[in-house]
Amino acid sequence: MTTRDAHEAVLHIDWTRCDGRGVCTELLPDTLTRDEWGYPLARRAGNDLVIDGHDARRAHDAVRLCPRMALRIK
Ligand code: SF4
């Protein structure tokens, strides 16, 4: 079992909703990049997108602003 820092969040992308509009990649450039079709890709390996430090606030903004409601914080 791993422990998570209190200031970390895990961002989950619902791929059935995402249409690659890129709001999340613009808000979280240290965590996400875009593939050739514009869909978000994790910069680090792994299924969980761990967001830390100052980016936690941006992750919440991405959840709120995603036009497809495809994001949530776990
Ligand atoms: S903001 Fe939402 S719809 Fe746009 S790329 Fe990110 S998850 Fe997909």
Side-chain angles (χ1 to χ4, degrees):
M1 183 172 157
T2 59
T3 56
R4 194 180 306 152
D5 186 284
H7 299 290
E8 290 180 346
V10 176
L11 189 66
H12 175 77
I13 301 173
D14 180 347
W15 296 109
T16 66
R17 289 177 177 262
C18 175
D19 67 357
R21 295 189 185 200
V23 173
C24 58
T25 56
E26 289 182 20
L27 286 170
L28 298 164
D30 293 341
T31 303
L32 297 171
T33 185
R34 301 178 81 170
D35 70 11
E36 60 189 294
W37 298 282
Y39 288 91
L41 281 178
R43 289 192 181 276
R44 292 175 291 224
N47 292 328
D48 286 338
L49 301 175
V50 177
I51 312 289
D52 54 16
H54 69 284
D55 274 354
R57 184 178 181 143
R58 288 172 174 245
H60 285 277
D61 288 343
V63 169
R64 185 171 49 83
L65 295 171
C66 172
R68 301 286 297 165
M69 295 189 291
L71 299 171
R72 68 184 167 91
I73 303 285
K74 293 200 282 184

